[in-house]
Amino acid sequence: DVKVTQSSRYLVKRTGEKVFLECVQDMDHENMFWYRQDPGLGLRLIYFSYDVKMKEKGDIPEGYSVSREKKERFSLILESASTNQTSMYLCASSLFADSGEQYFGPGTRLTVT
Amino acid sequence: QQPVQSPQAVILREGEDAVINCSSSKALYSVHWYRQKHGEAPVFLMILLKGGEQKGHDKISASFNEKKQQSSLYLTASQLSYSGTYFCGTEIKTGRRALTFGSGTRLQVQP
């Protein structure tokens, strides 16, 4: 079974803090994705990576950066957290970038106060 | 640009059928369908890769009309376990190697 794990289920941070969200997959997948999920807006792509050290912007990259130093790990970084970044963050991985099934992690609910 | 899903929400009785639509303003290469139950991660249902392709998964099936740039998900004889939010994800032709998801359709099946 593919497993995608995320470092925290719940996180509370203060405005201005630097926040790291970690995602690890155990199936040697090439591709990894970060989404945020907000009510009524669905899943919006923040960043994705199709190889180690490679990254591409998604639809809403502003205020975020990512790091992929190892194939199994994809980190999302909020350089200076703001209240409008309060959301559910979902990580996913897939074997194929375009037509491959995506496996999602359980999500991190981030609250910025 | 996000695909448009309709309806936004639907309530069914067990055994009833439902159709969820997903349409795009751009030419599509593929359409993916996922279901997310409350408090859980989205789970893959199926991928449609070719125009006109139809797929089935238990009593859940889908079609892809490449010309109309849309896909429909059909839930037949719905069960309580079908409750959740359904998302379509689209990949456009000549686009990036990632999906754009719709805003979701909330489906509730009642006894």
Side-chain angles (χ1 to χ4, degrees):
Chain A
D1 267 1
V2 176
K3 200 164 184 184
V4 180
T5 56
Q6 295 184 228
S7 48
S8 310
R9 288 303 300 269
Y10 300 94
L11 207 54
V12 179
K13 295 291 181 181
R14 293 198 181 274
T15 302
E17 279 193 84
K18 192 167 185 175
V19 182
F20 293 86
L21 303 182
E22 305 283 341
C23 175
V24 178
Q25 49 94 4
D26 66 357
M27 280 302 290
D28 204 34
H29 283 173
E30 301 287 336
N31 311 285
M32 297 188 75
F33 309 85
W34 274 107
Y35 298 92
R36 66 175 280 178
Q37 183 172 23
D38 300 290
L41 296 177
L43 301 162
R44 292 182 293 166
L45 183 64
I46 305 172
Y47 267 96
F48 64 105
S49 166
Y50 52 87
D51 201 354
V52 175
K53 296 193 185 295
M54 303 296 287
K55 61 186 179 185
E56 285 200 30
K57 292 181 180 179
D59 297 314
I60 50 165
E62 297 79 17
Y64 304 94
S65 62
V66 289
S67 171
R68 191 162 181 207
E69 297 295 319
K70 292 185 178 180
K71 193 175 186 179
E72 67 271 17
R73 188 179 296 268
F74 193 33
S75 303
L76 180 69
I77 303 153
L78 286 69
E79 297 290 342
S80 176
S82 64
T83 54
N84 62 15
Q85 292 178 310
T86 291
S87 186
M88 171 67 84
Y89 290 88
L90 289 164
C91 174
S93 72
S94 72
L95 185 58
F96 303 109
D98 40 17
S99 300
E101 173 183 351
Q102 291 189 20
Y103 296 84
F104 284 83
T108 297
R109 184 163 294 282
L110 173 69
T111 302
V112 182
T113 61
Chain B
Q1 199 163 8
Q2 271 188 307
V4 177
Q5 284 187 238
S6 63
Q8 289 185 314
V10 59
I11 300 174
L12 300 172
R13 294 280 182 199
E14 262 187 303
E16 290 182 338
D17 302 339
V19 180
I20 299 171
N21 298 303
C22 173
S23 64
S24 171
S25 59
K26 301 193 176 185
L28 297 175
Y29 175 74
S30 67
V31 180
H32 302 220
W33 286 96
Y34 287 77
R35 176 173 62 204
Q36 183 179 30
K37 298 197 174 186
H38 183 68
E40 299 180 9
V43 173
F44 169 79
L45 291 176
M46 64 191 81
I47 296 173
L48 298 109
L49 288 171
K50 297 176 190 174
E53 186 175 32
Q54 294 196 24
K55 278 197 172 178
H57 183 272
D58 195 8
K59 289 183 181 171
I60 299 175
S61 61
S63 63
F64 177 22
N65 187 323
E66 197 173 355
K67 243 182 188 179
K68 291 186 178 179
Q69 296 169 184
Q70 65 186 37
S71 175
S72 295
L73 186 72
Y74 306 95
L75 297 100
T76 306
S78 58
Q79 307 164 16
L80 294 175
S81 61
Y82 287 1
S83 293
T85 302
Y86 290 78
F87 294 99
C88 69
T90 57
E91 185 196 359
I92 62 172
K93 289 184 178 179
T94 69
R96 67 185 179 194
R97 295 162 61 187
L99 300 178
T100 303
F101 284 94
S103 57
T105 295
R106 197 167 186 169
L107 181 85
Q108 185 181 350
V109 181
Q110 296 178 340

